[in-house]
């Protein structure tokens, strides 16, 4: 989808250890490798992206709370994160 072929997954040892996921990767010709336990530095690109999205969502909520304090609260966090991801995915990169 979106004109991008995924060739390799670098994942933690969470739900990606599921046999169905590993079989799907194998059938699609995609490689799969895992980080060591508590070795976040091995998955640095993903960790940085999550931090950037979290920071952007936090900024949006803080701005909205300063403008409309009666209407905005932290229950909107999932929506702010979703919008931050949407913006990130639709802005051209270098």
């Amino acid at each position: 989808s979106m004109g991008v072929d995924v060739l390799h997954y670098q994942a933690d040892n969470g739900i990606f250890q599921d046999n169905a996921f590993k079989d799907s990767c194998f059938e699609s010709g995609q490689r799969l490798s895992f980080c060591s336990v508590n070795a976040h530095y091995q998955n640095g690109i993903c960790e940085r992206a999550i931090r950037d999205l979290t920071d952007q969502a936090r900024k949006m909520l803080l701005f909205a709370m300063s403008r409309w304090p009666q209407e905005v609260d932290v229950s909107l966090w999932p929506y702010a994160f979703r919008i931050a991801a949407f913006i990130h995915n639709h802005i051209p990169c270098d």
Side-chain angles (χ1 to χ4, degrees), residues 4-75:
V4 177
D5 293 326
V6 176
L7 302 176
H8 183 99
Y9 287 102
Q10 173 79 16
D12 58 8
N13 286 312
I15 60 171
F16 300 104
Q17 283 284 21
D18 181 49
N19 285 332
F21 180 73
K22 290 195 285 189
D23 293 341
S24 174
C25 289
F26 180 75
E27 290 170 6
S28 301
Q30 298 167 327
R31 293 180 318 194
L32 181 61
S33 61
F34 296 98
C35 296
S36 300
V37 175
N38 291 326
H40 301 290
Y41 59 87
Q42 292 180 343
N43 206 8
I45 294 171
C46 179
E47 296 293 335
R48 172 67 189 263
I50 291 170
R51 188 183 76 201
D52 289 347
L53 290 175
T54 302
D55 289 347
Q56 186 64 29
R58 184 179 298 117
K59 288 177 209 173
M60 286 190 287
L61 274 181
L62 287 172
F63 177 77
M65 284 179 174
S66 71
R67 297 285 305 259
W68 306 283
Q70 301 299 322
E71 286 79 19
V72 178
D73 63 5
V74 294
S75 67

